[in-house]
Amino acid sequence: MPASEVVVVTGASAGVGRAVARAYARRGARIALFARGAGGLAAAADEVRELGGTALPRPVDVAEHDQLDRAAGEAEANLGPIDVWINAAFSTVFGTFDELSPEEYARATQVTYLGFVHGTMAALRRMRPRDRGVVVQVGSALAYRGVPLQTVYCGAKHAIQGFHESLRCELLHERSGVQMTMVQLPGLNTPQFSWARSKLPHHPQPVPPIYQPELAADAVLRAADRPRRREYWVGGSTVGTLLANSVAPGLLDRYLARTGFSSQQNSDVDDSARADNLFEPADAAEGRDFGAHGAFGGTAHSRSPQWWVARNQALLALGGAVLAGVGAVLARSRR
């Protein structure tokens, strides 16, 4: 994509969205930053400008379709036609199903699932008439495999996966020039675990291994640049989870029932001043900027062998072909 590309990032004030905005800024992109928290948005916009990009921050609740659509119109009026739309905003509640209220469930689903639907609607409304553009859905390994304590998040990610597959088929049917792809992420070291509402006795944490959000940002940019693949997988835990769920889902259920509660909590992290961003942003104008990283920097990985393989498939294929050719020559020489 050209350096002057116009990009929309939802959930841009923190976590993966923040890391994605930084990565696009280094390419000189014009970036519309959408999120609820004014404080986090302002800090993200400053970073984008410092890194060489153009920033248009807009406080938006993705659960409200009209808000998001108006912001998309402002983005095109100020930055130009949108080339790439990235849906990354979400909210969730950690806890067992019986601890969650209908109001909490509705709110988290509206943000995490319908926010992606609303974002995609706003993007396609503008991209379809031009017959070009890319929509990237930021997904999760939990779109394929639910885990305990995250019924609302897993349900929403499963819904996004089905929505993505269905809509992608429709675009293919009409031979649209608009491309859709999805990035399935592993556990990440983001502020999600410090500001999502939690009913747990200890600080929530991702299912290990944990990776830094910059790895996710790299995958999102690669997916946007090469969107013909239906989805991209990042992190060692994602493929293993998918394979285990495909081969022995019942055994995996029992394994997660035994280990999924303790592996998603960390008693070493101080939870006394916990934030809560379910109904109101935790990074409001008077609040602190949470940035891209969470509380697990000491254990989070900045590299993933699986993602290296995915990024270098052409190189590996060439190496395999060379080795096969050498083997064939050696075999002939021994005859």
Side-chain angles (χ1 to χ4, degrees), residues 63-204:
E64 301 294 333
H65 170 265
D66 290 345
Q67 277 189 35
L68 192 54
D69 193 61
R70 281 196 301 270
E74 291 180 29
E76 293 220 325
N78 287 275
L79 302 177
I82 297 168
D83 297 300
V84 180
W85 184 293
I86 297 160
N87 286 312
F90 75 94
S91 187
T92 191
V93 183
F94 292 97
T96 57
F97 178 72
D98 61 293
E99 294 176 307
L100 274 60
S101 71
E103 294 76 18
E104 291 171 328
Y105 228 98
R107 173 61 184 168
T109 302
Q110 286 165 355
V111 174
T112 307
Y113 171 52
L114 290 182
F116 278 50
V117 174
H118 296 161
T120 305
M121 283 181 172
L124 293 187
R125 186 171 291 118
R126 290 156 179 85
M127 293 176 176
R128 250 189 177 128
R130 298 190 288 260
D131 200 35
R132 64 178 178 85
V134 178
V135 178
V136 181
Q137 316 289 12
V138 176
S140 168
L142 302 186
Y144 284 90
R145 173 64 243 183
V147 296
L149 305 179
Q150 296 203 55
T151 56
V152 62
Y153 181 81
C154 292
K157 288 299 182 181
H158 274 68
I160 293 166
Q161 178 68 29
F163 161 71
H164 166 69
E165 291 173 348
S166 181
L167 178 55
R168 192 169 186 275
C169 290
E170 292 180 12
L171 292 172
L172 289 170
H173 173 77
E174 66 187 55
R175 297 182 180 178
S176 174
V178 179
Q179 302 287 324
M180 282 187 63
T181 188
M182 192 165 180
V183 179
Q184 309 295 15
L185 301 178
L188 297 170
N189 177 37
T190 70
Q192 165 191 353
F193 302 91
S194 296
W195 70 9
R197 181 169 292 190
S198 176
K199 317 280 185 168
L200 306 180
H202 302 299
H203 193 286

Side-chain angles (χ1 to χ4, degrees), residues 213-230:
E214 286 75 17
L215 190 68
D218 181 55
V220 169
L221 266 66
R222 187 171 183 85
D225 290 344
R226 303 181 181 183
R228 292 194 178 276
R229 281 177 56 177
R230 187 182 72 160

